[in-house]
Every structure is written in C-alpha cells, then in structure tokens.
Amino acid sequence: MKIAVCVKEIYNLEQVKIVRETREPILDVPKKLDDLSRNALEEAIKIREKLGGEIVAISAGSPELRKTIKEALAMGADRAAIVTDFTESSPESAALVLSRILEKDSYDLILLGDASSDDYSGQMASRVAETLNLPQITFVSEIREVSDGKITCVRDMDDYIEVVESDLPCVVSVTNEINEPRIPALKDILKASKKPVENFSLQDLGIEISRSYEIVENLAPAVDRKQEVIEGEAAEVAGKIAEIIGREV
Amino acid sequence: MSVIDFPKNTVLTFSEEEELFRESVREFCQRHIAPNWVEVDKRSEQNPMDIPVDIIKKMADQGLFCIPCSEEYGGQGGSYTMATIAMEEIAYADPSVALAVYALLNTGWPFALELFGTEEACQEIIPEVAAGRAFFGIASTEPQGGSDVAGLKTRAEKKGDVYILNGEKTFISGVGEVQKLEWGGGWFTLARTGGEGHKGLSAFALLARKNGELSDGWDPTIYEDIGRHGLTTGGFRLTDFEVDSKYLIGEENKGFYHVMEGFNLARIVVAAATIGASRWLLEQAVEWFRTRKLFGRNISSFQGVSFKFADMYARWEASRYFVYRASRLADKIYIEKDPSYKPLDLNVPVALAKNYGPETCVDLAEEVMKWYGAYAYTKEAPIFRAWLGPFSYVIGAEGAQNIMRLIIARDIIGRDYLK
C-alpha cells in the first residue's frame, strides 16, 4: 500500500498576535504542520500498521517547509517530496503544485485534511482529485476498510452520515474527529532527520504560478463589546445575569 | 497561547530537532499533564500511595524517561540537553514538579548507571525504567544527614558473590513507586566497603523489588511531605540485604566519585524543572497584572510590584542560562565524549544552576502569592503547590544550597583558601 499524504505548513496560530489599532495580524511567528494534516497522516499510519507499505508526505510552501516537514517525518511518514519556493497561497495553484508532485509517482491512496486551520477554504481534495482524474471522498470521519483495491469510508454530513465505497486509487479528505494524532517521541524526531526528502522547484515541475485573484485585506474581525454594566445587590445582579444567559445562549 | 512574549534570543539557541522535541513534549504535557496536575497533587496528599501510574505509563510511552540512555538499553538515545528540555516542559505543565522529578530521577540515575554499572545490570534495569515499569533514583541520605555523604554509615560486607548490606536510608524519593510499579525498581546507592571517609564507599544498584517480587531485608516507611505529593518520599532499613556483585557500580571503594558525577547530572535536570515551574509562575503573575485593578489602577502600575517582577524575571532568565550552559557541557563530556572537557568541569556550572534555579523559583512563588493576595492563601488557587514542591530543592534534595555555594567558592577561590 503506497499512501501519499498532502500536508500543509501554517503559521502557529496560537502565537499570532493582532495589532489592536489596525487589526492586522503579526505573522512573525514560527510555522507548524496544520492540525488536519496531522489527522490525515495519523490515518495513513494506522493503515500502514495494518497493511504495511509506504507513506510519502507531499507539501508545497516556503523555504521554512524544509524544517516543518520534519514534523511529518517524525510522526511517521517514510519520506517526503516537497516544493519550497511556493509562496503563492491560492488553493488553485496549491492544488496544481501538489498534483504535479503526486504525478511523479503512483499511489494507492491520497489523504488530506478536509481544510486547513488558517484559511479553511476546503478546496484542496476536490481540486487535486479533479486534476488527477481520481475519485474523491470528502468529510471522512472514519475509514472503515481498505482491501482488495477498494476503500470504504464514513462521511460526516452534519445531519446524517453516508457510507461510501470507492475503487483505489482515490483521494480522501478527513475531518478532525477521525482520530487523535500521535505526538512524535524523541526517537522518532531523531530518526526524522535521516529520512529522505526530495526537494523540487516550481521550475522542475514546469509550473508558472499566475494569480487569479488578489487578497485586498487580511484583518482580524472587529468585535464590538457590549460593555453592559449590571449594578445592584448581589442577588439582584445574579438574577439579571441568569436572565441574560438564558436569553443569549 | 503563551502569555508572555519572551524576547528573541540569539545566545541560548536550540537545534531544529531540539525545538521539535520541545514542541512535542509541550503538546504531550498540555494533553495529559496540565489538566491533571492539581488533581494528582490533591489525591496523593490524601494518600501518598495513590501514585499516578497511568500518567507515568503515558510518559514512558512518549519516551520521557532515560532520555540520554542508549537505545540498546531501551533508552531514547538523546542528549542531556534533550533531557533538560523535557524536564523544563514537564514542570511547566506540573509546577508542583512531582512528575518532572519522577522523570528526571529516572533519566539522570539510569544514565549514571549506564556510565559506571555492569552490562548485566544495565540490560536488566534500564529497559524497565524506560518503559515505566520500574523506578530508579538515588538513595544516599541517612538519618545523620544528607550533605555529609563521605560520613555515611550503611555497611556492605562481601561474602562470596554477594554483598550484605545493613543500615538505613532516609528522605528517599520513590519508596512508594518501587512497591507500586509493575516491575519494581530501586536506587543508585552507597554503602561502606572500606575504611572511614569517602574512599571507603562503594556504589550499588539496590533493587528493593524486581519482577514484582520484594527483596528480603528491605523494610520501607512512607513519609507525609508538605508538597510535591505526586512523588513519594520515604525511608528504608536494610537488614542483611543481599546485593549480587553484578550490581556493584564501578570499582569497589570508588563509589563516592561515581555518585558525585551522578549528582552533577541529576542537579542539571532538577534546576531545569525549577525553571519550568518558574515559567508557569511568571505567566500566572502576568495574567494577574493584566486583570487586577487596585485603587482604580492596574496593580502592576505600582513600581513596588513591577520592579520586583522585573528582578524576578531577570533571575529566571539567568537561571535558564545556567541550566542550559550546564546541559551543553554535560553533552560535551558524556554524549560527544569531547576529550577537551572533563567531568570536574561540570562542578561550578552545575552548582550555579542548582543553586540559582530552585531559589529563584521559590522566591518567585512567594512573590506571586503576595501579588495575588488572600486568594493565593486558599487551596482554590494552585500557586502554593508550585511553591511547596520546588521548596524541596531549596531545603536540599539533590544537594543542599550551601553545598552548592561551597562547590562554587572552593573551585573559584581555591580549596586551600577555604580551610
């Protein structure tokens, strides 16, 4: 079983601060592997534990990706194939770059997170599947079975669930409910540096990035606080708070 | 999200692997330790034998014990700096430092065993400790005192292939854990095989329990500590306790030197635990400063508060430099085996770290409690747990503070000028 897991580097959102006056984010923070990418990778590792095979982490990003990809290798990917001169962040171009890397090898299964925690566009699985002309199963909360060239998945559609079977190869995107990703131990981290990483440039892949849209603004949402002050005796104030909670929640 | 934006640092820097390891330990701790540390401390306060075996097992599965030990013994094959990073992060998540002390004892002393012990003893003990099935710490203190190691009285008489030990050890960490963990465990200990003074001492791996079986002649007591409850403290009497000669650590009558090297290694990670707890305390303080108002002003607008905080912050940064300077030096000596560095080179750097880290932590905890006011004096606020736990290292666990000062003064001024 040869599994490709498309992973994404994102800014460590917990460390991103917002300039109060302008609402602009300060992005001078380290990057990390996206949480949903880790869910996808965890699922690949579970399949490999059952069926054997190889996991290849695929990613496109900034030069910092050479460092970030080690998280995927430490978690359990056997090797990586990456592009590190990709700074354009549109889903359209990202899907093209990932697909070109994927085309360089053949895979039984391509796993991704359903969306990424930063822009959450949720387009990657469908775009990659369409580019590679493969079947796709999205919103997967459980991979029930992988055998005899087929995969059976449970799709979480909020109000109902679907059980879907597809031939392999197939593109599958997972939700964060599917598992709890493992945390790499020291031994895994030390081994990660010795695993092979194939580094392509956009030129190697024959891709020229063109912008199809422009980001006009990237600001934190403005939240106006009600700043309601409740005054009075404790019992009276408690009653009013209970009333507001009952009304608002 | 980190409460404090720590200044960028180009002196105290870490490799990509070290940073990734810190992140992984931090994530593990946020998932399994930070939400439970207060409960662990409370439960074990009620019953010291209520040992957090489940968390110990999870920590073992994550590879948080025996960090610098060789992989052939089930260790993690990491550096001493990696161990230091782990202890700082564990104590940040459990500032009572109980779980960090469990991890650091079961890192420093198995590593000392690997440096000086027999192949057979290492093969038998270290894999069990790494897997969280056994405890392996240090037992040197006796009822007459802990600092006067050279004066200890427990005797070991050699009879054929065994040593017969008689004596008593007190204020020993792990007396409960060796009874409760699946395999058992014991300690790096010292007993007198020769004449008076430090040249008559030999080191042994003393296993109070192994393969789930208690050893004959080992009579334990559990003490009730005032803090750091998640790790037991106790004592034991040895009556004709048999130790196979394969458990002799290093050469006979050279045990004092081996244990002193072990102490240097353990003190680095003790200091690391206290800087982790201090980071938690600093964040508690800053969160409080950003919300607490007094006389219509932020409490930190009073310079009596903010200047004291600045002083404590400076001491914390200095402690961190001391700790990582010592751990990098330990890597040169024991991991990289660089011949330009010798074990004695660690004496002053380690004494500085062990002296400064715990004192900073305890002083900081007291200040944070005062800044919080009466709330900190209630058991609802957990700050006192981060005061009483690290306090054990100011009292003298792993070496009294004045012994650290003595080492610094002796090595800097010169031994002859202190007489």
Side-chain angles (χ1 to χ4, degrees):
Chain A
M1 190 82 185
K2 196 163 175 181
I3 308 171
V5 183
C6 298
V7 298
K8 185 177 182 185
E9 63 164 1
I10 61 164
Y11 289 107
N12 189 337
L13 299 178
E14 289 188 354
Q15 293 185 32
V16 173
K17 297 255 162 53
I18 306 294
V19 181
R20 193 183 292 179
E21 295 76 22
T22 62
R23 292 192 282 126
E24 285 170 313
I26 304 169
L27 295 174
D28 180 21
V29 297
K31 290 186 173 172
K32 56 173 272 207
L33 205 60
D34 181 49
D35 289 346
L36 272 144
S37 296
R38 295 175 67 198
N39 288 111
L41 189 50
E42 177 66 32
E43 213 51 28
I45 296 166
K46 284 182 174 171
I47 295 169
R48 186 185 57 189
E49 282 169 355
K50 274 190 208 154
L51 305 176
E54 188 189 26
I55 299 170
V56 185
I58 309 283
S59 192
S62 68
E64 275 180 72
L65 181 59
R66 287 192 196 93
K67 180 182 165 191
T68 320
I69 200 68
K70 284 187 184 161
E71 284 185 54
L73 296 168
M75 257 190 83
D78 298 294
R79 61 187 176 90
I82 59 173
V83 166
T84 52
D85 58 353
F86 177 70
T87 47
E88 165 66 50
S89 63
S90 81
E92 181 188 2
S93 54
L96 182 65
V97 175
L98 293 176
S99 301
R100 289 285 175 271
I101 305 174
L102 288 162
E103 278 170 346
K104 288 199 165 284
D105 214 328
S106 62
Y107 297 97
D108 300 300
L109 179 61
I110 298 166
L111 284 165
L112 305 85
D114 227 14
S116 56
S117 316
D118 49 359
D119 55 23
Y120 223 87
S121 77
Q123 301 173 31
M124 209 50 54
S126 300
R127 283 183 180 274
V128 167
E130 285 301 308
T131 309
L132 299 176
N133 198 25
L134 291 173
Q136 55 175 303
I137 312 176
T138 52
F139 303 115
V140 170
S141 59
E142 182 190 347
I143 295 178
R144 232 170 232 186
E145 201 178 352
V146 185
S147 63
D148 301 327
K150 289 189 186 303
I151 185 165
T152 311
C153 300
V154 177
R155 298 185 76 212
D156 183 346
M157 307 307 295
D158 275 351
D159 296 334
Y160 60 96
I161 60 164
E162 270 181 3
V163 179
V164 179
E165 186 186 274
S166 166
D167 289 334
L168 293 174
C170 172
V171 176
V172 171
S173 69
V174 305
T175 65
N176 62 355
E177 288 89 20
I178 196 164
N179 56 41
E180 184 174 55
R182 69 196 59 198
I183 302 168
L186 178 54
K187 278 182 190 171
D188 307 317
I189 293 166
L190 295 174
K191 278 180 198 150
S193 299
K194 299 183 182 93
K195 291 182 177 177
V197 178
E198 210 173 350
N199 199 339
F200 300 106
S201 66
L202 290 173
Q203 198 180 359
D204 295 335
L205 300 174
I207 297 173
E208 204 170 312
I209 301 295
S210 59
R211 278 171 179 262
S212 58
Y213 69 94
E214 194 183 344
I215 297 172
V216 180
E217 243 180 19
N218 180 20
L219 302 178
V223 179
D224 289 328
R225 296 188 184 280
K226 289 187 180 172
Q227 295 189 324
E228 197 174 328
V229 178
I230 304 163
E231 291 178 0
E233 292 298 315
E236 190 187 347
V237 170
K240 284 181 185 167
I241 291 172
E243 187 192 318
I244 293 168
I245 291 171
R247 194 173 63 231
E248 303 276 339
V249 179
Chain B
M1 185 188 285
S2 178
V3 176
I4 300 173
D5 279 335
F6 292 101
K8 287 184 180 169
N9 198 325
T10 54
V11 177
L12 191 57
T13 57
F14 298 95
S15 69
E16 281 180 12
E17 284 176 345
E18 287 166 346
E19 282 179 8
L20 192 50
F21 180 57
R22 184 184 292 280
E23 284 304 316
S24 73
V25 178
R26 193 174 288 185
E27 187 179 353
F28 171 87
C29 291
Q30 288 310 307
R31 203 184 280 180
H32 300 291
I33 294 180
N36 299 312
W37 76 275
V38 172
E39 192 57 32
V40 167
D41 205 48
K42 278 184 188 171
R43 277 205 332 249
S44 306
E45 185 176 10
Q46 295 296 315
N47 173 14
M49 287 304 285
D50 193 348
I51 291 162
V53 178
D54 52 337
I55 297 180
I56 290 170
K57 190 74 185 71
K58 282 186 183 133
M59 291 170 79
D61 292 344
Q62 190 60 32
L64 295 178
F65 308 143
C66 303
I67 290 171
C69 294
S70 309
E71 286 192 66
E72 61 174 300
Y73 298 134
Q76 309 307 318
S79 65
Y80 218 74
T81 298
M82 296 278 198
T84 305
I85 288 168
M87 302 318 152
E88 184 187 354
E89 292 304 325
I90 297 168
Y92 171 68
D94 167 17
S96 83
V97 302
L99 293 167
V101 175
Y102 182 98
L104 72 88
L105 289 171
N106 288 287
T107 286
W109 292 103
F111 187 54
L113 176 67
E114 183 174 326
L115 291 175
F116 307 113
T118 64
E119 176 68 19
E120 239 178 317
C122 292
Q123 290 282 6
E124 182 184 16
I125 299 168
I126 300 173
E128 299 298 336
V129 178
R133 291 191 295 263
F135 174 95
F136 194 75
I138 171 71
S140 69
T141 300
E142 297 189 348
Q144 69 276 6
S147 293
D148 183 13
V149 177
L152 64 81
K153 296 188 184 323
T154 296
R155 288 211 65 88
E157 305 286 343
K158 192 164 188 192
K159 285 192 178 170
D161 281 341
V162 297
Y163 289 85
I164 310 292
L165 270 63
N166 281 285
E168 192 176 355
K169 299 285 176 186
T170 52
F171 304 107
I172 306 301
S173 291
V175 174
E177 282 74 3
V178 301
Q179 298 175 68
K180 189 98 179 235
L181 295 177
E182 195 180 330
W183 194 85
W187 299 270
F188 195 117
T189 196
L190 283 175
R192 192 163 299 284
T193 43
E196 292 300 302
H198 69 281
K199 290 183 178 169
L201 297 173
S202 297
F204 299 92
L206 184 155
L207 295 176
R209 186 166 156 265
K210 66 176 196 175
N211 291 318
E213 297 285 327
L214 272 174
S215 306
D216 292 335
W218 185 72
D219 181 18
T221 313
I222 300 287
Y223 305 153
E224 283 186 43
D225 282 334
I226 61 165
R228 206 194 65 181
H229 299 106
L231 177 69
T232 62
T233 307
F236 54 83
R237 185 179 291 279
L238 298 166
T239 311
D240 294 333
F241 185 96
E242 287 189 13
V243 176
D244 192 286
S245 56
K246 72 179 176 186
Y247 297 121
L248 175 69
I249 298 173
E251 290 179 50
E252 204 173 273
N253 296 325
K254 293 274 175 67
F256 181 84
Y257 302 105
H258 304 324
V259 90
M260 285 302 148
E261 282 192 53
F263 270 130
N264 264 350
L265 288 164
R267 284 168 187 162
I268 297 170
V269 273
V270 160
T274 59
I275 60 170
S278 290
R279 177 150 51 92
W280 181 84
L281 286 159
L282 287 169
E283 291 193 352
Q284 296 298 304
V286 171
E287 277 189 332
W288 183 247
F289 295 156
R290 288 175 184 167
T291 53
R292 176 67 170 160
K293 303 240 190 275
L294 203 62
F295 303 110
R297 297 161 58 174
N298 292 316
I299 188 173
S300 49
S301 70
F302 296 100
Q303 291 179 341
V305 173
S306 62
F307 283 14
K308 189 71 193 177
F309 174 83
D311 289 345
M312 295 311 306
Y313 180 84
R315 285 177 61 185
W316 173 73
E317 275 231 16
S319 304
R320 231 169 152 249
Y321 281 101
F322 285 147
V323 168
Y324 284 101
R325 193 259 290 251
S327 78
R328 294 285 187 212
L329 202 47
D331 283 340
K332 289 278 180 207
I333 298 163
Y334 296 107
I335 306 291
E336 296 164 32
K337 301 191 191 305
D338 183 332
S340 350
Y341 299 93
K342 306 282 179 237
L344 286 179
D345 292 334
L346 268 177
N347 283 355
V348 171
V350 167
L352 286 166
K354 165 66 174 68
N355 197 44
Y356 216 60
E359 286 189 5
T360 298
C361 185
V362 169
D363 290 350
L364 174 60
E366 285 186 23
E367 292 303 327
V368 176
M369 288 179 70
K370 285 185 269 183
W371 293 328
Y372 266 75
Y375 175 56
Y377 202 66
T378 70
K379 286 196 169 180
E380 192 184 331
I383 304 163
F384 76 100
R385 298 179 194 277
W387 173 44
L388 293 175
F391 198 76
S392 62
Y393 291 100
V394 171
I395 284 197
E398 229 72 26
Q401 295 303 82
N402 282 343
I403 294 293
M404 300 303 110
R405 291 185 173 92
L406 180 67
I407 291 168
I408 298 164
R410 182 195 68 198
D411 285 16
I412 300 295
I413 301 169
R415 189 184 291 269
D416 291 343
Y417 300 95
L418 263 60
K419 287 177 182 167

